[in-house]
């Protein structure tokens, strides 16, 4: 019966999404244009004067693409109306990408983590559409539930420990909860979360929300149902969880060690606070964009480590960006199999199909190429050094939002380039993956084999 339901849901998805790229690109473009129009209104600015079309476009794109890069300070530039527009755009962008990515994962493969687990829960009585609606409902409930819990926790902390009025504390809690879970990184303080660097009651809940939002709904759902039986996890969950744990541990170790005695970052903090800030700094490149230490004051080796973490990003079908930890993890298994001389790539008790290996390689190389070309173009526009420009480009492409402080000073052409990068980085991986997967064809003949020299 489960197999019949899976076929029914996939048939329903095929009917609704005959052109996945058009659905994704068109939907996000409409949201960006609507947000630009609203933020360009005088009522959206604290001063009562329009912020300008370019500033509104940059901010709207950053919000819809859940990036967090800004050219003006969010808390002082935008009015309450403007801030609510930004929160709405973040929520729409986060839910939109989670929903579309999850549905397309179900469409292109019945074994990407959703499998029968989502369908068993959906007590469908027909073969068309009902399962899809249940999946979307579960995503929305899960997302809003996580945001509500985080908002309450933050509001209580802001009210009890920092003396914020109840209404203001609740607003701050909701704004930063939505921004954190959706990996957006928008904050209402000029220093982001630097003032809370040593406060675990603020940093840890936000970091946890970033991690959960970045794992992706299929992985979270499978973990909830099978967390006691790791051997039963799908390949998606195995790779996502394993790679995430390794990257968080390695990132925390590297960034904490590199910044330990830096007077501009971790130096003035106590030992436990340094570890907390180091962990928080390692979590944010998953692509949240908050910072509890001054990014500008970080050392060059820390920028490079952050570049790598940002480029990899978070989990598939989640709110994080980058090439995805799944892509990175799969390529690691491919390399390991090649180094061992094995002709098959095995993960756990499953074999990785050849098309999936090629898709992972394609997405990774497309990301490298886009970052390289964009860095070259931006270097030609601005007088900044390579390390700063590369950091900014990867932050935009991976929809992170961290900055070395040069974003606000960029000329209009450079800002438009970052707008394009944010948009491509947000919709690109899902679009490319779904397009590649749906284009799979069975060739009815084989050409003669020839082995060229590699390396």
């Amino acid at each position: 019966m489960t197999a019949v339901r899976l076929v029914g849901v996939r048939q329903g998805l095929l009917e609704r999404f005959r052109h996945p790229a058009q659905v994704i690109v068109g939907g996000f473009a409409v949201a960006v244009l609507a947000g630009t129009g609203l933020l360009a209104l005088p009522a959206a600015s604290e001063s009562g004067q329009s912020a300008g079309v370019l500033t509104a476009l940059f901010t709207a794109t950053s919000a819809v693409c859940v990036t967090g890069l800004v050219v003006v300070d969010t808390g002082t530039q935008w009015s309450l109306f403007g801030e609510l527009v930004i929160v709405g755009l973040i929520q729409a962008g986060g839910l939109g990408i989670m929903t579309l990515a999850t549905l397309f994962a179900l469409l292109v493969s019945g074994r990407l983590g959703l499998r029968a687990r989502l369908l068993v829960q959906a007590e469908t009585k027909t073969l068309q559409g009902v399962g899809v609606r249940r999946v979307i409902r579960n995503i929305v409930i899960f997302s809003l539930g996580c945001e509500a819990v985080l908002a309450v926790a933050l509001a209580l902390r802001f009210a009890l420990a920092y003396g914020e009025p109840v209404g203001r504390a609740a607003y701050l809690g909701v704004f930063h909860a939505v921004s954190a879970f959706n990996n957006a990184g928008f904050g209402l303080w000029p220093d982001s979360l630097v003032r809370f660097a040593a406060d675990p009651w603020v940093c840890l809940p936000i970091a946890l929300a970033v991690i959960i939002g970045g794992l992706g709904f299929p992985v979270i759902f499978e973990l909830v149902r099978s967390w006691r039986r790791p051997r039963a996890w799908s390949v998606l969950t195995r790779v996502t969880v394993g790679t995430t744990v390794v990257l968080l541990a390695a990132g925390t170790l590297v960034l904490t060690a590199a910044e330990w005695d830096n007077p501009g970052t971790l130096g003035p903090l106590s030992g436990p606070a340094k570890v907390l800030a180091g962990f928080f700094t390692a979590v944010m490149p998953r692509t949240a964009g908050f910072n509890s230490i001054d990014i500008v004051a970080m050392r060059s080796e820390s920028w490079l480590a952050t570049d790598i973490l940002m480029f990899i990003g978070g989990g598939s079908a989640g709110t994080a960006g980058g090439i995805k930890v799944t892509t990175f993890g799969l390529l690691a298994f491919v390399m390991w199999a090649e180094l061992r001389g094995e002709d098959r790539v095995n993960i756990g008790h499953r074999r990785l199909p050849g098309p999936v290996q090629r898709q992972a390689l394609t997405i990774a190389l497309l990301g490298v190429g886009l970052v390289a070309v964009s860095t070259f173009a931006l270097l030609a526009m601005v007088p900044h050094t390579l390390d700063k420009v590369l950091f900014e480009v990867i932050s935009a492409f991976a929809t992170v939002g961290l900055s070395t402080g040069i974003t606000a000073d960029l000329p209009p052409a450079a800002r438009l380039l970052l707008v394009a990068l944010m948009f491509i980085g947000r919709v690109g991986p899902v679009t490319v993956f779904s397009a590649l997967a749906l284009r799979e064809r069975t060739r009815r003949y084989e050409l003669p084999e020839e082995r060229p020299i590699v390396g």
Side-chain angles (χ1 to χ4, degrees):
M1 188 63 181
T2 298
V4 174
R5 290 175 178 172
L6 177 57
V7 172
V9 173
R10 293 179 69 185
Q11 288 176 347
L13 287 173
L14 283 169
E15 290 182 358
R16 295 177 181 211
F17 303 114
R18 294 185 182 276
H19 303 286
Q22 295 178 2
V23 174
I24 297 175
V25 175
F28 275 82
V30 169
V32 168
L33 292 176
T36 301
L38 292 173
L39 291 177
L41 296 173
S45 296
E46 193 69 45
S47 63
Q49 299 179 346
S50 175
V53 175
L54 183 56
T55 298
L57 173 64
F58 193 99
T59 305
T61 305
S62 184
V64 171
C65 299
V66 291
T67 303
L69 279 177
V70 294
V71 292
V72 292
D73 178 56
T74 304
T76 56
Q77 168 64 40
W78 306 109
S79 64
L80 176 61
F81 170 73
E83 291 172 2
L84 291 177
V85 169
I86 291 173
V87 169
L89 294 175
I90 293 171
Q91 188 72 81
L95 280 177
I97 202 66
M98 284 189 73
T99 302
L100 287 171
T102 301
L103 292 180
F104 287 133
L106 182 59
L107 171 63
V108 300
S109 173
R111 303 187 66 83
L112 286 179
L114 282 174
R115 297 189 300 174
R117 291 176 173 84
L118 284 176
L119 303 177
V120 168
Q121 182 175 339
E123 293 297 329
T124 56
K125 297 183 179 180
T126 64
L127 295 180
Q128 301 291 335
V130 179
V132 177
R133 290 194 291 271
R134 291 293 182 91
V135 171
I136 295 175
R137 187 195 69 176
N138 289 339
I139 293 173
V140 173
I141 292 175
F142 171 74
S143 301
L144 297 181
C146 289
E147 292 171 359
V149 171
L150 178 59
V152 171
L154 292 178
L156 290 174
R157 186 61 178 172
F158 293 146
L160 299 177
Y162 297 96
E164 294 284 356
V166 175
R168 175 66 177 173
Y171 177 69
L172 291 172
V174 170
F175 187 98
H176 290 89
V178 173
S179 185
F181 179 79
N182 291 287
N183 280 218
F186 278 86
L188 294 179
W189 292 283
D191 61 355
S192 187
L193 299 178
V194 173
R195 64 189 65 193
F196 306 112
D199 188 346
W201 297 101
V202 173
C203 291
L204 289 181
I206 288 179
L208 181 61
V210 168
I211 293 172
I212 293 175
L215 284 176
F217 181 75
V219 173
I220 290 294
F221 192 87
E222 188 167 2
L223 288 176
V224 170
R225 294 187 59 86
S226 307
W227 66 275
R228 292 183 178 180
R229 296 181 291 115
R231 293 179 63 85
W233 291 354
S234 66
V235 170
L236 174 65
T237 300
R238 286 172 180 264
V239 174
T240 301
V241 174
T243 309
T244 296
V245 171
V246 170
L247 290 177
L248 288 179
T252 301
L253 179 62
V254 170
L255 292 174
T256 303
E259 299 295 323
W260 187 268
D261 58 352
N262 185 346
T265 56
L266 299 183
L269 301 176
S270 64
K274 289 181 180 180
V275 175
L276 173 65
F279 171 72
F280 190 84
T281 304
V283 171
M284 292 307 113
R286 285 187 58 79
T287 64
F290 290 111
N291 60 283
S292 62
I293 61 175
D294 186 5
I295 301 297
V296 179
M298 289 172 63
R299 291 170 171 153
S300 297
E301 55 267 36
S302 298
W303 281 354
L304 179 59
T306 305
D307 286 341
I308 296 172
L309 293 174
M310 289 192 299
F311 184 76
I312 296 172
S316 301
T319 55
I323 64 170
K324 309 297 185 182
V325 295
T326 316
T327 303
F328 180 78
L330 292 180
L331 290 177
F333 277 100
V334 171
M335 289 189 293
W336 178 244
E338 186 64 29
L339 291 173
R340 297 181 63 183
E342 298 177 352
D343 60 352
R344 296 289 187 271
V345 180
N346 300 319
I347 302 177
H349 301 288
R350 294 289 185 270
R351 177 171 56 86
L352 193 65
V356 175
Q357 300 174 40
R358 296 194 297 270
Q359 290 160 13
L361 182 62
T362 300
I363 290 174
L365 290 181
L366 283 176
V368 170
L370 184 60
V371 167
V373 171
S374 301
T375 301
F376 182 86
L378 199 59
L379 281 171
M381 300 179 191
V382 299
H384 301 293
T385 56
L386 173 61
D387 53 358
K388 290 186 176 181
V389 171
L390 179 63
F391 191 101
E392 217 75 10
V393 167
I394 295 178
S395 181
F397 164 74
T399 67
V400 180
L402 297 174
S403 174
T404 57
I406 67 174
T407 307
D409 299 326
L410 295 177
R415 293 188 182 186
L416 289 175
L417 175 61
L418 292 187
V419 167
L421 272 175
M422 289 188 287
F423 191 85
I424 294 172
R426 178 72 281 176
V427 305
V430 179
T431 303
V432 170
F433 172 74
S434 58
L436 289 174
L438 293 175
R439 282 172 58 88
E440 286 185 15
R441 297 290 185 271
T442 300
R443 179 172 291 180
R444 301 183 183 277
Y445 63 91
E446 290 290 341
L447 297 174
E449 184 178 275
E450 180 179 345
R451 283 180 171 269
I453 297 176
V454 178

